[in-house]
Amino acid sequence: MHSTLTASAVRERLHTLVVIDVRTPGEYAGGHLPHAHNIPLDDLADALPALREAADRGDLLLVCASGARSQNAGTTLSSHGIPAASLEGGTVAWTSAGGELHRPATSTAPTWAMDRQVRLTAGSLVLFGLLLGQVVHPAFQLIAAGIAAGLVYSALSNSCAMASLLGKLPHNRTSRTDLNNTLAALRHN
């Protein structure tokens, strides 16, 4: 298992850390830690060689919105022998502790955070299932039950299949060019 750092510890060491933001490109554009490189969790396998090189030069810090995805990324890196720490509580904890978030100057309207996308999708599916269950056939209420079961499993396993699916939508994906540019910048950092 890899370590975690508090926001105050990161603030003291930020200038010495190589920061890897594992959120989607849209979330990253909405605000990220200073000098963070965006390598979405789904693209982590492609970035392993560059991350290994970066870890040889300095300490890696993994960041996401709340800390769950960065923990998953840390587990993946650890299994490949790449040491990394996660920001405890993610960007939420960082901003709560007074840390600044940087936004690209050319950024369009930011994509909603993944947890907000999940809440909207889950809530909409539950309402849709309940409405169809009342209007069309009671069996449609199984949609609501399935979403509820998925949310319970998500909490117990600290994973989220819905977030994984939503992360594959075009507005949540990194272009190959963007990822290659990020990896090149990481190698020359």
Side-chain angles (χ1 to χ4, degrees):
M1 184 182 276
H2 69 287
S3 63
T4 59
L5 296 173
T6 64
S8 60
V10 168
R11 179 176 280 124
E12 293 172 15
R13 296 185 51 202
L14 187 59
H15 64 285
T16 67
L17 298 169
V18 178
V19 181
I20 307 298
D21 192 318
V22 298
R23 296 176 299 158
T24 66
E27 292 175 291
Y28 174 82
H32 55 270
L33 270 69
H35 311 292
H37 299 277
N38 184 219
I39 302 175
L41 188 58
D42 288 345
D43 294 325
L44 206 59
D46 294 336
L48 288 173
L51 290 169
R52 184 178 318 282
E53 289 175 27
D56 288 343
R57 292 189 310 271
D59 293 335
L60 295 183
L61 176 69
L62 303 170
V63 179
C64 67
S66 66
R69 283 179 281 178
S70 61
Q71 287 288 330
N72 290 340
T75 300
T76 299
L77 293 182
S78 179
S79 72
H80 287 88
I82 303 171
S86 292
L87 173 58
E88 186 177 298
T91 56
V92 172
W94 176 256
T95 56
S96 294
E100 287 186 51
L101 294 180
H102 290 211
R103 290 171 180 79
T106 60
S107 176
T108 59
T111 301
W112 285 358
M114 188 55 67
D115 64 321
R116 187 174 181 193
Q117 292 180 51
V118 167
R119 290 192 312 262
L120 175 69
T121 304
S124 297
L125 287 171
V126 167
L127 286 174
F128 184 67
L130 292 174
L131 178 66
L132 287 177
Q134 292 295 312
V135 175
V136 178
H137 190 277
F140 280 105
Q141 291 177 356
L142 292 174
I143 294 171
I147 296 298
L151 290 171
V152 169
Y153 177 78
S154 175
L156 294 174
S157 67
N158 198 26
S159 65
C160 186
M162 188 177 292
S164 292
L165 290 173
L166 291 172
K168 295 184 186 327
L169 293 175
H171 65 277
N172 285 326
R173 300 287 304 157
T174 303
S175 74
R176 245 16 242 167
T177 302
D178 288 343
L179 181 61
N180 289 339
N181 290 341
T182 299
L183 296 178
L186 185 59
R187 285 187 177 105
H188 297 94
N189 191 14

